[in-house]
Amino acid sequence: MERKIVKDILFLRQSSSPAAKSDSGTADDLIDTLRANSENCVGLAANMIGIRKNIIIVQTQLAPIVMFNPKMLSHSAGTYESEEGCLSLEGTRKTLRYESVEIEYYDRDMKRHTGKFSGFTARIIQHEMDHCKGIII
């Protein structure tokens, strides 16, 4: 089900709780909400739709990936300055990002995956993982 985008900064600044297999309905809501906002959106965190669980969705070139409890295993040396927008905020803001990241995450069946991501996809993942920690650009 498509959900309304949360813009309440106090809510968004709260850390998310670990996700479990029982939270798989949130994955469906993230997919539906991403599709409904596809012209302006390439990723979402569950707290952006009012659910404080550590779940993100990232639009890749092939298909969206839903990640339960994503964790950064490694990253490239150094950072670069990025200017990002967010559906929960007005305008854009500057932030620092790694060019590439290695992420451990679980799918909706709680099967463990690892992936290496770079460029724009790595930037989206970092942005959404920050949301789960209550960090807003």
Side-chain angles (χ1 to χ4, degrees), residues 80-97:
Y80 69 96
E81 188 174 81
S82 170
E83 190 163 328
E84 300 175 2
C86 180
L87 285 181
S88 292
L89 305 170
E90 296 289 324
T92 60
R93 290 167 178 77
K94 292 182 180 183
T95 190
L96 297 176
R97 297 291 182 212

Side-chain angles (χ1 to χ4, degrees), residues 7-37:
K7 297 182 184 278
D8 179 350
I9 299 300
L10 294 177
F11 181 84
L12 294 171
R13 289 205 185 277
Q14 297 176 41
S15 294
S16 296
S17 301
K21 189 173 184 177
S22 60
D23 295 311
S24 65
T26 300
D28 295 328
D29 292 348
L30 284 168
I31 292 167
D32 293 343
T33 306
L34 181 69
R35 283 187 184 139
N37 291 280

Side-chain angles (χ1 to χ4, degrees), residues 14-16 45 53-56 128-134:
Q14 297 176 41
S15 294
S16 296
K53 290 291 185 167
N54 192 4
I55 307 170
I56 67 173
E128 303 312 336
M129 286 178 66
D130 279 353
H131 265 295
C132 291
K133 298 174 200 162

